Amino acid sequence: MKPLVVQGHHAGGQLSLTTLVENFPGFPEGIMGPELVENIKKQAQNFGAEYMHGELLDADLSKRPFRLRVDEEWMEARTVIVASGASARWLGLPSEQKLIGHGVSSCATCDGFFYRGRKIMVIGGGDSAMEEANFLSRFGSEVTLVHRRDQFRASKIMLDRARANPKVKFLLNTVVEDVFDVAANLVSGVRMRNLATGVVWEQEVDGFFVAIGHIPNTAVFKGQIETDADGYILSKGGARTNIPGVFHAGDVQDRTYRQAITASGAGCMAAMEAERFLEAEGH
């Protein structure tokens, strides 16, 4: 085996942007996400994996060997494991997009310390939103969690933690319609609307964090690997895709569990499938 790992521009993916990982076996006190990423990388390198910087820009999976373009270089591979993860989903407001990096963020662990003693808002209703709200409460003077419904996708334990946090306040049945102030190139507030009453108001905010889900990073394989309507790879059993010799691992296919440990297990499955595939071909 001569495995080559193309790291992309965000090596480690979402795991490198998280804080304490508590459910990865072997770490009874938990481990920080970036440290776990580095540990896994070193272990893979010790067993012969080669890491390559660059981004996958194109792929031809129509024939073997498969052809992949990383930056400007084309290369060939007998098997491919797609483990490119998922990226943060945004609200899609023009003002939000213009203020990314200037008060708008999708990563509390990256940017939370900028808002020490400031007013912070988190958008979302899942586990990631609860985790971000709790984490940001370490820095902000107050954290407002905004959710468009009055029911949550978050697990009970994560929701209970956020509700028990005295710094976290909830605004339900509410959406953000605009983020200010693009002209000043920084976040100063938002315009909001209550979906139940129709009431519109403005609220001061210094940091605006979006945690409303993810988009699988499969666009480069569109029209070749079968996906569902949201872009998640459709599994053909085990770690197999619709293309013999192409396998999946992690959040590109998993829209349910999304954990480091389940992604690691999926990586093991994909590696074993790839090895058996090559052995069956006599390699």
Side-chain angles (χ1 to χ4, degrees):
M1 294 294 162
K2 292 181 63 179
L4 174 68
V5 183
V6 179
Q7 293 194 98
H9 292 315
H10 304 286
Q14 295 174 66
L15 195 55
S16 64
L17 305 179
T18 193
T19 49
L20 191 64
V21 180
E22 298 174 296
N23 65 347
F24 202 94
F27 299 96
E29 305 301 321
I31 182 170
M32 299 302 285
E35 185 182 357
L36 181 56
V37 168
E38 189 60 26
N39 285 353
I40 292 170
K41 178 181 179 180
K42 287 177 180 176
Q43 185 173 359
Q45 286 175 320
N46 285 344
F47 285 91
E50 180 185 347
Y51 278 72
M52 176 182 187
H53 292 285
E55 184 179 7
L56 180 67
L57 299 177
D58 199 0
D60 180 2
L61 307 179
S62 63
K63 58 183 180 298
R64 306 270 311 287
F66 303 120
R67 298 182 70 240
L68 307 164
R69 181 161 70 92
V70 178
D71 293 337
E72 298 308 314
E73 180 185 354
W74 281 94
M75 57 189 64
E76 295 183 339
R78 287 196 174 101
T79 60
V80 172
I81 296 173
V82 182
S84 47
S87 299
R89 187 184 299 275
W90 299 98
L91 295 175
L93 301 170
S95 54
E96 167 204 53
Q97 296 299 299
K98 290 175 182 174
L99 289 169
I100 291 173
H102 300 277
V104 172
S105 173
S106 67
C107 178
T109 53
C110 310
D111 302 323
F113 67 92
F114 291 121
Y115 303 99
R116 194 175 296 279
R118 313 293 288 275
K119 295 177 180 177
I120 298 174
M121 182 168 284
V122 176
I123 312 300
D127 277 357
S128 57
M130 304 304 152
E131 184 178 13
E132 300 235 325
N134 276 321
F135 177 78
L136 290 165
S137 70
R138 303 180 194 179
F139 304 100
S141 59
E142 64 180 57
V143 178
T144 303
L145 192 145
V146 179
H147 185 41
R148 61 186 176 180
R149 300 188 296 137
D150 57 5
Q151 300 293 318
F152 296 93
R153 299 187 314 278
S155 60
K156 184 178 185 299
I157 187 170
M158 296 300 290
L159 181 58
D160 287 348
R161 281 183 191 172
R163 282 178 165 158
N165 190 326
K167 275 192 176 181
V168 178
K169 298 176 175 60
F170 286 78
L171 267 179
L172 306 182
N173 295 314
T174 300
V175 294
V176 174
E177 294 190 327
D178 203 2
V179 184
F180 312 125
D181 181 4
V182 171
N185 202 32
L186 59 82
V187 171
S188 61
V190 295
R191 184 173 72 241
M192 313 179 75
R193 178 165 57 90
N194 185 295
L195 295 175
T197 64
V199 173
V200 176
W201 74 99
E202 294 181 3
Q203 186 165 322
E204 287 185 9
V205 170
D206 301 300
F208 187 82
F209 289 80
V210 182
I212 57 170
H214 297 85
I215 301 169
N217 298 321
T218 55
V220 71
F221 303 109
K222 189 173 182 181
Q224 300 185 83
I225 298 177
E226 287 183 13
T227 67
D228 65 15
D230 295 322
Y232 288 91
I233 292 175
L234 293 172
S235 182
K236 301 299 179 178
R240 296 184 294 279
T241 70
N242 61 298
I243 301 173
V246 179
F247 306 98
H248 59 72
D251 285 13
V252 289
Q253 186 272 328
D254 174 20
R255 59 191 306 157
T256 304
Y257 303 105
R258 305 174 180 278
Q259 301 296 301
I261 179 56
T262 53
S264 297
C268 176
M269 291 165 62
M272 292 175 71
E273 294 266 18
E275 183 176 18
R276 290 171 181 172
F277 181 84
L278 291 173
E279 282 179 350
E281 291 201 328
H283 296 297

